[in-house]
Amino acid sequence: MSGLTTFPMLPGGTVGAPADGAHRLLLRDVRLRTSGPADPVHPVAAEPLAVHLDRLGPRPLGDPGLVDLLERTGLTGHGGAHVPAALRWRALAAGVGPLTVVANGAESEPVAGKDGTLLRQRPHLVLDGLMLTAEALGAQRAVVWLHGDDDGGRRAVLAALDERRWSDARHRVDVLMGPVHYLAGESSAIAGAVQGGSALPTVRRRPRDPRAPRTLVHNVETLARLALLARGHAPSTTRLLSVLGTERVVVEVEQSTTFGQLLGGLGWPSAPEAVLLGGYGGLWAPWERLAHLPLDERALRAEGLTLGAGVVMPLAPGRCGLRATADLVDYLASMSARQCGPCRLGLPALADSFRALADGRGGGVGAVLDDAWAVEGRGACHHPDGATRLVASAVATFEADVAAHLAGGPCTDGSSRADVPVPGVRR
């Protein structure tokens, strides 16, 4: 990954950290390897239960009134969609079946790492949020869901549960390892798996029996923030991010921090060509549009952007955004659920037409957009929509490159290199 730079950590290991450490989720920012589980290059010991309780005091019991607190504070999910947590809690009232609450730590994006880092550093904060949710909603079961290759996360959670076995045993917590697959962290796939089915996304708008088992899936960062709110802390003004260079870094920053300040604080030597926001199924945005924007989800959505699951991937100067996108679309096509035509046929066709565009051949932008239109909003799940969103943003962001490729074929200098980390494609 020579096209992305190495980030030196700032003194103290934090970038744009809040002055009041009590509102931080992480003990410190960390470096990770380029992709895969969130095992830090330099290990950070998990916060023991005694230290956790000394810092925050015992957690309150969860009660139904907690949903009003979520509504007042405006807590949203931090897994990618940013749906208000209170809205999801109230929606559960439509059913009467047994309820399972899930702490989702299975980060689907290969370059994500914030959730695994949080679980490794402050597992008790996440478990507090899980217990509060289970008690408030009268759940019969509580689960921590992880990717099958996240041994470090599993060890951290099991060690924390062992510490808590006498002090917080109102609910048994099952630790389940999902498949090592891009879709394993999708909420409907998790819901199916914890109820004994396959870990595959379910069909949209499927009619639901109100007596059927119910599942509420919350991202682990969401639950950690809930645990602080329930103790009377003000809503946090920070957010967790995974930022990709030669290594990944996971940082906690103030939402008022701009993208320029973020990359400057991490030692980025020059302005990137563009930045991919949210991960492989995210959005490209040109640097001149992002540099002065804050890392605040509401401000970004007002600009038609989102940080999704908190992944920031700058593209270094001289690297080809079209080739990078072609690699990513290939990967997304290989990771489909293969439950419907848009996944089985449409995504491979889109990957092929975008690769042809990046190589300066084929039907050009028209063929790409036709293939994107053929799958947009038509899949049994939302996976194809991530690929079409990525493609549309690439065509807009790298408009000048598109024209150059179509006029003279692929890049002829060093910019033909993409340098994005893409696991092996299986198509």
Side-chain angles (χ1 to χ4, degrees), residues 370-393:
D370 284 347
D371 286 336
W373 177 85
V375 299
E376 175 66 29
R378 298 166 188 255
C381 67
H382 293 285
H383 177 63
D385 300 343
T388 59
R389 182 169 53 243
L390 173 69
V391 163
S393 69

Side-chain angles (χ1 to χ4, degrees), residues 34-280:
T34 304
S35 65
D39 297 317
V41 174
H42 302 291
V44 178
E47 183 177 61
L49 179 60
V51 175
H52 169 73
L53 294 175
D54 185 60
R55 180 201 297 261
L56 297 175
R59 71 168 181 85
L61 291 176
D63 65 67
L66 193 55
V67 68
D68 296 323
L69 174 65
L70 298 183
E71 199 157 57
R72 289 196 306 273
T73 57
L75 179 66
T76 61
H78 284 73
H82 297 274
V83 175
L87 185 65
R88 300 187 63 195
W89 283 34
R90 295 195 191 281
L92 291 171
V96 294
L99 174 63
T100 299
V101 294
V102 181
N104 182 13
E107 294 172 293
S108 294
E109 298 289 345
V111 294
K114 70 177 183 66
D115 296 337
T117 297
L118 178 60
L119 281 173
R120 284 162 171 75
Q121 292 192 13
R122 300 191 74 186
H124 291 292
L125 198 59
V126 175
L127 292 172
D128 280 355
L130 182 63
M131 293 295 95
L132 284 161
T133 303
E135 292 166 0
L137 297 175
Q140 286 73 43
R141 186 184 182 199
V143 170
V144 176
W145 176 265
L146 302 171
H147 264 300
D149 62 351
D150 191 7
D151 293 331
R154 179 176 178 272
R155 289 194 300 270
V157 173
L158 289 177
L161 288 172
D162 188 58
E163 284 188 285
R164 299 164 72 100
R165 67 186 184 278
W166 303 118
S167 63
D168 198 355
R170 298 174 185 86
H171 276 82
R172 171 186 167 181
V173 177
D174 297 322
V175 180
L176 302 182
M177 309 296 286
V180 183
H181 193 278
Y182 184 80
L183 298 178
E186 201 273 340
S187 59
S188 67
I190 297 170
V194 300
Q195 299 299 342
S198 300
L200 290 172
T202 56
V203 177
R204 310 170 191 242
R205 303 184 185 89
R206 185 174 62 181
R208 180 175 178 81
D209 180 352
R211 296 165 296 180
R214 297 169 294 158
T215 307
L216 174 65
V217 180
H218 270 318
N219 173 263
V220 294
E221 183 183 347
T222 310
L223 293 172
R225 295 188 183 280
L226 167 62
L228 293 177
L229 291 173
R231 285 179 164 92
H233 288 265
S236 176
T237 58
T238 69
R239 70 178 304 161
L240 305 185
L241 297 173
S242 306
V243 187
L244 188 69
T246 302
E247 299 167 329
R248 284 176 292 169
V249 293
V250 173
V251 297
E252 182 169 4
V253 297
E254 287 285 350
Q255 295 180 42
S256 58
T257 305
T258 67
F259 283 89
Q261 291 169 334
L262 172 70
L263 295 192
L266 290 171
W268 189 267
S270 58
E273 294 281 351
V275 179
L276 182 60
L277 304 177
Y280 291 12

